[in-house]
Amino acid sequence: MKLDAGVPGGPIESKWDRHRFELKLVNPANKRKFEIIVVGTGLAGASASASLAELGYNVKTFCIQDTPRRAHSIAAQGGINAAKNYPGDGDSIWRLFYDTVKGGDFRAREANVYRLAQISTLIIDHCVAQGVPFAREYGGLLANRSFGGAQVSRTFYARGQTGQQLLLGAYQAMMRQVRAGRVKMFPRRDMLDLVLVDGMARGIVVRNLVTGEMESHPAHAVVLATGGYGNVYYLSTNGASGNVNAAWRAHKKGALFANPSFTQIHPTCIPVHGTYQSKLTLMSESLRNDGRVWVPKNPGDKRPPNRIPESERNYFLESKYPSFGNLVPRDVASRNVKEICDQGLGVGTTRYAVYLDLQDAIRRDGMEVIKKKYGNLFQMYERITGQSPWEVPMMIYPAVHYAMGGLWVDYNLMSTIPGLFVLGESNFSDHGANRLGASALMQGLADGYFIIPYTMGGYLAGTRLPEVTEGHHAFREATNQASDMMAKLLSIRGKRTPADFHRELGRIMWEYVGMSRDEPGMIKARAMIATLREEFWKNVAVPGSHKDLNQALERANRVADFLEFAELLLEDSLSREESCGCHFNVAFQTEEHEALRRDETCSYVAAWEYAGPGKATLHKEPLKFEYVELATRSYK
Ligand SMILES: Cc1cc2nc3c(=O)[nH]c(=O)nc-3n(C[C@H](O)[C@H](O)[C@H](O)COP(=O)(O)OP(=O)(O)OC[C@H]3O[C@@H](n4cnc5c(N)ncnc54)[C@H](O)[C@@H]3O)c2cc1C
């Protein structure tokens, strides 16, 4: 298979403009003849539904939750990037493009990243027009703060609730279309399969999570905006319903899965505190604007942090990376935190934590200023740990956070299945091997508000799409297959809960394919997962029936796919013989323990084709860097 990303020719600055002009258009009167399915109501899905319906298409939108507003995007805290250069500190589209390509350790497609940087400025205007209450400076301009991997302030925010406010904007735009009759909303639905007719995506099969009923939904095209797969590690900062199901089922139908081993581990999360914990909590990267990361110089120093004098503190990020200090990108910060803890210098009862200290900032700027910026984050930390960051430094440790990998898409955001578009965190995205903070919201909204409205039109106008109804045998086959799987899960009546299998899978993943990886460990993990999967299908305990609300069945369905997907993630990690961004193979590191890329052989996107259970074929999309010079990433 030859992967063609369909990147338009010409200078990078005008590629998108030219492409938009060259894409075919659907006549306004014909738009209402098309039905489009959008799965997902996070920022990517809600913005896509609203924009496509606004254009006149008929949209059917699906989500797992009882309301679209509960999509995981609501949890996003810190902010959204845009190259507006309001502070006049040297930002530009070019700089955002450069920072993103470099931040992703040169494993992203240049043309897509440039387009993202261009669109970033439109997103902010669009959201302001919707009424999103971004923080403002005294003079009225929108305020900005800094995020990792950048030396300019380009992050727009609404306290520590940026995702919530942006999602309310996208939600209200979508609900306006629900009222206008152009979006039909299907909450509490779980997508179980993608339906292909003549090789094209023509619909989905879903399970109604309340009644248990299977439903078939035909359409002219399908958009997946189903979020990331970070929960394959069990413990993560992701919402509990985060899954790989929709993407995985599409993968099994022919959509290539790209860079599955690129999983971001975020440096500042509340550390794990017990074996039965089911969720980890992020402490936003925005805190690193003012927070200083440190450990005591003397290992095992038992004094309370406030009694340890400056001279006995090791501000290890500031001393190792003087240019970027505490705002080095996430992969770099996470690895350094791990390294310092592995050396026995960590703090807290497990010694797997470091301090994130805002005392200097509180003293310098005063409580009121800090409260305005981070008040809700402080409150959240105190509620969870019982300690007030106003009085003592927070304790943090890295945790799984974001999936840079996902379904492979071309420049039009179309997967290798014609008519299947993938947006937001569920595509392999523009972030390469490491995402810079505040860039996921930017990408999800760029995809939904500003890219899919054009590329969808181009596809629909240029493709012959005969009528397909839910009576088509492809729907019957997909429904039967999905029903058989549910029946099988219910028939096992074993001894271990789906959550128990999930927890064990997560432990294996974190240990062998987490922050650092080596070949023997990954080979061992692959065998362990194969054994676990075998046991799952003999010993999983799913009580109840498929005919009504059954959360154990939902969970088992998720874990079944995670167990298959985990093997692909390992395969991808094993095959990438270099270190880059979040993918840190200990065999490839510099003398200073930084990731060592091998551009001659590894400058590619790994795109995996499903080849039967436990098997996958690797295709490579070569990455060319014509505008940003390939260089060793340095934040010193
Ligand atoms: C705690 C936290 C804080 C973050 N803060 C920031 C930040 O400050 N800035 C930033 O840029 N990024 C941030 N991120 C990342 C960012 O929030 C996400 O990448 C982004 O919101 C993902 O949006 P999405 O629309 O792609 O998917 P999601 O918001 O995850 O939505 C997925 C949707 O798909 C639906 N769905 C999933 N599977 C199925 C299925 N099988 N059937 C039917 N429906 C399905 C769900 O119901 C949901 O509606 C943060 C992430 C976390 C975890």
Side-chain angles (χ1 to χ4, degrees):
M1 179 185 291
K2 190 170 177 306
L3 283 176
D4 182 7
V7 174
I12 200 160
E13 297 89 342
S14 52
K15 279 181 195 293
W16 177 231
D17 271 354
R18 245 192 61 206
H19 188 59
R20 279 190 298 168
F21 175 69
E22 283 166 3
L23 279 168
K24 288 194 171 141
L25 295 173
V26 179
N27 172 322
N30 284 341
K31 288 200 176 99
R32 68 177 72 94
K33 295 183 189 154
F34 288 109
E35 290 237 315
I36 299 168
I37 282 175
V38 177
V39 190
T41 59
L43 285 173
S47 57
S49 296
S51 313
L52 291 168
E54 192 75 45
L55 284 171
Y57 297 110
N58 291 304
V59 179
K60 291 197 209 173
T61 304
F62 298 79
C63 71
I64 293 175
Q65 290 83 2
D66 54 348
T67 156
R69 278 178 307 167
R70 281 194 215 277
H72 160 72
S73 290
I74 200 120
Q77 302 172 349
I80 175 168
N81 286 332
K84 284 282 200 188
N85 193 30
Y86 284 164
D89 57 356
D91 202 10
S92 60
I93 288 171
W94 197 268
R95 189 177 294 282
L96 175 53
F97 160 61
Y98 172 85
D99 285 349
T100 309
V101 171
K102 176 184 168 192
D105 219 355
F106 302 90
R107 292 295 172 260
R109 205 185 275 151
E110 270 190 342
N112 286 51
V113 180
Y114 192 86
R115 173 176 64 184
L116 178 63
Q118 276 176 315
I119 289 175
S120 70
T121 59
L122 305 177
I123 297 171
I124 300 303
D125 297 343
H126 192 76
C127 295
V128 168
Q130 286 175 340
V132 172
F134 286 118
R136 284 179 186 267
E137 301 292 0
Y138 180 71
L141 267 189
L142 299 185
N144 283 153
R145 58 188 175 197
S146 302
F147 263 60
Q151 286 178 313
V152 294
S153 287
R154 61 162 74 99
T155 305
F156 294 76
Y157 61 99
R159 277 204 198 177
Q161 305 167 342
T162 317
Q164 180 179 7
Q165 298 307 326
L166 290 171
L167 191 59
L168 287 174
Y171 167 78
Q172 70 186 4
M174 181 174 73
M175 292 313 282
R176 192 175 101 78
Q177 295 299 331
V178 169
R179 187 161 178 111
R182 276 198 293 266
V183 171
K184 197 153 182 234
M185 188 65 229
F186 295 87
R188 301 299 274 135
R189 302 298 201 284
D190 204 350
M191 173 176 153
L192 295 185
D193 213 348
L194 175 75
V195 177
L196 305 193
V197 175
D198 297 332
M200 289 180 280
R202 293 306 305 266
I204 59 172
V205 168
V206 300
R207 179 167 177 269
N208 181 322
L209 291 172
V210 180
T211 64
E213 209 177 314
M214 292 287 184
E215 299 170 5
S216 294
H217 294 274
H220 294 95
V222 177
V223 175
L224 291 190
T226 46
Y229 51 74
N231 281 348
V232 65
Y233 286 81
Y234 183 70
L235 284 180
S236 85
T237 62
N238 291 189
S241 63
N243 66 83
V244 76
N245 289 91
W248 190 246
R249 306 277 158 105
H251 173 60
K252 284 173 127 177
K253 284 278 168 84
L256 266 51
F257 211 114
N259 298 336
S261 64
F262 288 176
T263 315
Q264 176 161 85
I265 294 172
H266 196 299
T268 57
C269 304
I270 299 180
V272 176
H273 58 72
T275 325
Y276 287 96
Q277 194 170 351
S278 59
K279 175 87 186 70
L280 292 176
T281 306
L282 175 76
M283 284 290 109
S284 169
E285 180 162 309
S286 58
L287 292 161
R288 283 197 275 145
N289 270 266
D290 291 301
R292 301 181 69 193
V293 176
W294 65 277
V295 289
K297 280 187 179 159
N298 299 323
D301 193 329
K302 293 261 164 32
R303 286 174 292 176
N306 292 347
R307 298 245 183 92
I308 300 178
E310 277 294 306
S311 59
E312 293 178 45
R313 296 176 180 195
N314 176 3
Y315 292 95
F316 54 97
L317 291 178
E318 292 174 30
S319 48
K320 193 166 169 191
Y321 305 98
S323 295
F324 283 71
N326 293 295
L327 279 172
V328 286
R330 293 173 179 176
D331 55 335
V332 177
S334 293
R335 262 197 298 283
N336 277 279
V337 170
K338 178 179 185 308
E339 197 174 302
I340 219 98
C341 293
D342 286 348
Q343 288 165 2
L345 291 165
V347 298
T349 46
T350 62
R351 306 277 288 274
Y352 272 84
V354 299
Y355 293 127
L356 175 64
D357 194 342
L358 282 103
Q359 296 304 316
D360 276 358
I362 296 169
R363 270 192 298 272
R364 185 186 64 228
D365 298 338
M367 271 179 98
E368 271 319 300
V369 172
I370 297 298
K371 204 172 179 178
K372 271 196 190 136
K373 288 191 194 167
Y374 314 115
N376 71 312
L377 300 174
F378 276 36
Q379 199 181 37
M380 195 161 81
Y381 183 86
E382 187 170 356
R383 287 221 181 123
I384 292 171
T385 64
Q387 293 200 313
S388 165
W390 296 109
E391 287 153 25
V392 285
M394 297 181 188
M395 279 198 269
I396 48 134
Y397 194 72
V400 170
H401 180 64
Y402 180 85
M404 275 82 66
L407 291 179
W408 184 90
V409 287
D410 63 11
Y411 191 70
N412 287 332
L413 303 182
M414 190 160 85
S415 71
T416 45
I417 298 178
L420 177 69
F421 293 80
V422 192
L423 316 186
E425 195 174 337
S426 54
N427 70 27
F428 86 103
S429 85
D430 304 341
H431 311 294
N434 170 61
R435 174 174 72 81
L436 292 184
S439 288
L441 304 184
M442 170 175 71
Q443 180 231 328
L445 291 180
D447 290 0
Y449 284 135
F450 293 102
I451 301 175
I452 194 72
Y454 295 94
T455 59
M456 177 62 80
Y459 171 74
L460 294 174
T463 314
R464 216 181 66 77
L465 292 160
E467 266 328 290
V468 166
T469 66
E470 56 194 76
H472 194 284
H473 67 87
F475 280 96
R476 269 201 311 281
E477 276 160 27
T479 307
N480 290 343
Q481 226 172 25
S483 304
D484 288 351
M485 181 169 172
M486 295 292 134
K488 192 167 168 198
L489 286 168
L490 283 160
S491 69
I492 298 168
R493 305 279 169 189
K495 299 237 168 351
R496 284 180 77 179
T497 61
D500 199 35
F501 279 102
H502 195 177
R503 197 177 296 120
E504 184 170 342
L505 172 66
R507 269 199 296 264
I508 299 170
M509 298 296 284
W510 181 244
E511 180 162 356
Y512 297 106
V513 71
M515 255 185 294
S516 75
R517 305 157 178 196
D518 64 37
E519 195 175 302
M522 289 189 278
I523 291 171
K524 186 172 166 192
R526 202 168 48 180
M528 288 166 90
I529 289 167
T531 310
L532 190 65
R533 201 176 69 209
E534 211 175 298
E535 193 200 332
F536 175 86
W537 284 106
K538 289 185 186 140
N539 196 24
V540 70
V542 186
S545 93
H546 66 279
K547 289 197 180 130
D548 53 17
L549 180 78
N550 186 341
Q551 289 188 311
L553 183 59
E554 280 173 45
R555 184 74 179 265
N557 179 49
R558 306 225 180 293
V559 178
D561 280 6
F562 275 143
L563 282 163
E564 291 185 7
F565 169 68
E567 277 190 67
L568 183 70
L569 193 157
L570 275 158
E571 200 60 47
D572 185 50
S573 189
L574 270 164
S575 72
R576 189 170 277 282
E577 294 187 328
E578 64 166 346
S579 290
C580 57
C582 66
H583 167 70
F584 191 72
N585 182 329
V586 293
F588 306 99
Q589 54 181 306
T590 65
E591 278 173 10
E592 290 167 310
H593 308 296
E594 306 284 1
L596 185 63
R597 286 198 327 264
R598 294 173 73 222
D599 293 329
E600 334 70 56
T601 50
C602 297
S603 214
Y604 62 84
V605 174
W608 296 89
E609 182 182 3
Y610 185 72
K615 292 194 199 115
T617 311
L618 176 61
H619 302 273
K620 293 180 180 176
E621 179 197 338
L623 290 170
K624 287 194 209 82
F625 294 91
E626 295 172 64
Y627 295 89
V628 181
E629 199 184 332
L630 274 163
T632 301
R633 235 165 26 129
S634 168
Y635 293 96
K636 295 191 169 166

